Amino acid sequence: MNVRIVTPAPRGSTAGNRVTAQRWARIICTLGHRVRVATDYQAEDCDVLVALHARKSADAAARFKSRYPDAPLIVCLTGTDLYKDIHRDPVAQRTLALATRLVALYPGAEEQLLGSLKPKLRIIYQS
């Protein structure tokens, strides 16, 4: 598969979103897939889009779903998403609605989601 990971943190950044994107890219590559990490999605060919941060990656997620309406969109919910944006930002809320799957690295994430979104959520426990 051709996987695109979008993170708001630029190349060379040591921000958590970039570190997570790079870690996931390494893992996905070891599974035999092609992965590219970028700060945006500009309608490049890919089979799945993984977007870190619902609000900051909203435009990329919308462009991807517009081009590939049936392809998987995985949105990784950041701390800012969970404890701020998804409760009051309509852009972040729209991204959650577009997502095929939501991923969080926080065990308490489920309590932050509306009931209709909870079936989309998977928690990844990191070591």
Coordinates of all heavy atoms in Angstrom, one line a residue, residues 5 7-27 37 52 76 105 126:
I5 N 1.2 10.0 5.5 CA 1.0 10.5 6.9 C 1.1 12.0 6.8 O 2.2 12.5 6.4 CB 2.0 9.9 7.9 CG1 1.8 8.4 7.9 CG2 1.7 10.5 9.3 CD1 2.8 7.7 8.8
T7 N 1.2 15.5 9.1 CA 1.4 16.0 10.4 C 1.6 17.5 10.3 O 2.2 18.0 9.3 CB 2.6 15.4 11.1 OG1 2.8 16.0 12.4 CG2 3.8 15.4 10.3
P8 N 1.1 18.3 11.2 CA 1.3 19.8 11.1 C 2.7 20.2 11.5 O 3.2 21.3 11.2 CB 0.3 20.3 12.2 CG 0.0 19.2 13.1 CD 0.2 18.0 12.3
A9 N 3.5 19.3 12.1 CA 4.9 19.6 12.5 C 5.8 19.4 11.3 O 5.8 18.3 10.7 CB 5.3 18.7 13.6
P10 N 6.6 20.4 11.0 CA 7.5 20.3 9.8 C 8.6 19.4 10.0 O 9.0 19.0 11.1 CB 7.9 21.8 9.6 CG 7.9 22.4 11.0 CD 6.7 21.7 11.7
R11 N 9.2 19.0 8.8 CA 10.4 18.2 8.8 C 11.5 18.8 9.7 O 11.7 20.0 9.7 CB 11.0 18.0 7.4 CG 12.3 17.4 7.3 CD 12.8 17.2 5.9 NE 12.4 15.8 5.7 CZ 12.2 15.3 4.5 NH1 12.1 16.0 3.4 NH2 11.9 14.0 4.4
G12 N 12.1 18.0 10.5 CA 13.2 18.5 11.4 C 12.6 18.9 12.8 O 13.4 19.1 13.7
S13 N 11.3 19.0 12.9 CA 10.7 19.3 14.2 C 10.9 18.2 15.2 O 10.9 17.0 14.8 CB 9.2 19.6 14.0 OG 8.6 19.8 15.2
T14 N 11.0 18.5 16.5 CA 11.0 17.5 17.5 C 9.6 17.5 18.3 O 9.5 16.9 19.3 CB 12.1 17.7 18.5 OG1 12.0 19.0 19.1 CG2 13.5 17.6 17.8
A15 N 8.6 18.1 17.7 CA 7.3 18.1 18.3 C 6.7 16.7 18.3 O 7.0 15.9 17.5 CB 6.4 19.1 17.5
G16 N 5.8 16.5 19.3 CA 5.3 15.1 19.4 C 4.6 14.6 18.2 O 4.7 13.4 17.9
N17 N 3.9 15.5 17.4 CA 3.2 15.0 16.2 C 4.2 14.5 15.2 O 3.9 13.5 14.5 CB 2.3 16.1 15.6 CG 1.1 16.4 16.4 OD1 0.6 15.6 17.2 ND2 0.5 17.6 16.2
R18 N 5.3 15.2 15.0 CA 6.3 14.8 14.1 C 7.0 13.5 14.5 O 7.2 12.6 13.7 CB 7.3 15.9 13.8 CG 8.3 15.6 12.7 CD 7.5 15.6 11.4 NE 8.3 15.3 10.2 CZ 8.0 15.7 9.0 NH1 6.9 16.4 8.8 NH2 8.8 15.4 8.0
V19 N 7.3 13.4 15.8 CA 7.9 12.2 16.3 C 7.0 11.0 16.1 O 7.4 9.9 15.7 CB 8.3 12.4 17.8 CG1 8.7 11.0 18.4 CG2 9.3 13.4 18.0
T20 N 5.7 11.1 16.4 CA 4.7 10.1 16.2 C 4.6 9.7 14.7 O 4.6 8.5 14.4 CB 3.3 10.5 16.7 OG1 3.4 10.7 18.1 CG2 2.3 9.4 16.4
A21 N 4.6 10.7 13.8 CA 4.5 10.4 12.4 C 5.7 9.6 11.9 O 5.5 8.7 11.2 CB 4.4 11.7 11.6
Q22 N 6.9 10.0 12.4 CA 8.1 9.3 11.9 C 8.1 7.9 12.5 O 8.5 6.9 11.8 CB 9.3 10.1 12.4 CG 9.5 11.4 11.7 CD 9.7 11.3 10.2 OE1 9.1 12.1 9.5 NE2 10.5 10.4 9.7
R23 N 7.7 7.7 13.8 CA 7.7 6.4 14.4 C 6.7 5.5 13.6 O 7.0 4.4 13.3 CB 7.2 6.5 15.8 CG 7.2 5.1 16.5 CD 6.7 5.2 18.0 NE 7.5 6.2 18.8 CZ 7.0 7.2 19.4 NH1 5.7 7.5 19.4 NH2 7.8 8.0 20.1
W24 N 5.5 6.0 13.3 CA 4.5 5.2 12.6 C 5.0 4.9 11.2 O 4.8 3.8 10.7 CB 3.2 5.9 12.6 CG 2.5 5.9 13.9 CD1 2.9 5.5 15.1 CD2 1.2 6.4 14.1 NE1 2.0 5.7 16.1 CE2 0.9 6.3 15.5 CE3 0.2 7.1 13.3 CZ2 -0.3 6.7 16.1 CZ3 -1.0 7.4 13.9 CH2 -1.2 7.2 15.3
A25 N 5.7 5.8 10.6 CA 6.2 5.6 9.2 C 7.2 4.4 9.2 O 7.1 3.6 8.3 CB 6.9 6.8 8.7
R26 N 8.1 4.4 10.2 CA 9.0 3.3 10.3 C 8.3 2.0 10.5 O 8.7 1.0 9.9 CB 10.0 3.5 11.5 CG 11.1 4.5 11.1 CD 12.2 4.6 12.2 NE 11.7 4.8 13.6 CZ 11.5 6.0 14.1 NH1 11.7 7.1 13.4 NH2 11.0 6.2 15.3
I27 N 7.3 1.9 11.4 CA 6.6 0.7 11.6 C 5.8 0.2 10.4 O 5.9 -0.9 10.0 CB 5.6 0.9 12.8 CG1 6.3 1.1 14.1 CG2 4.6 -0.3 12.9 CD1 5.5 1.6 15.2
V37 N 5.8 11.0 4.8 CA 5.4 11.9 5.8 C 5.5 13.3 5.2 O 6.5 13.7 4.7 CB 6.2 11.8 7.1 CG1 5.8 12.8 8.1 CG2 6.1 10.4 7.7
L52 N -2.6 13.3 11.4 CA -2.4 13.7 12.8 C -2.9 15.1 13.1 O -2.5 16.0 12.4 CB -0.9 13.6 13.2 CG -0.3 12.2 13.5 CD1 -0.1 11.4 12.3 CD2 0.9 12.3 14.3
C76 N -5.6 10.6 13.7 CA -5.0 10.5 15.1 C -5.3 11.7 15.9 O -5.0 12.8 15.5 CB -3.5 10.3 15.0 SG -2.7 10.1 16.6
L105 N -3.8 8.0 21.4 CA -2.7 7.5 22.2 C -3.0 7.7 23.7 O -2.1 7.4 24.5 CB -1.4 8.1 21.9 CG -1.0 8.1 20.4 CD1 0.3 8.9 20.1 CD2 -1.0 6.7 19.8
Q126 N 1.3 3.1 23.7 CA 2.7 3.1 23.3 C 3.6 2.8 24.5 O 3.3 3.0 25.6 CB 3.1 4.5 22.8 CG 2.3 4.9 21.6 CD 2.8 6.2 21.0 OE1 3.3 6.2 19.9 NE2 2.6 7.3 21.7

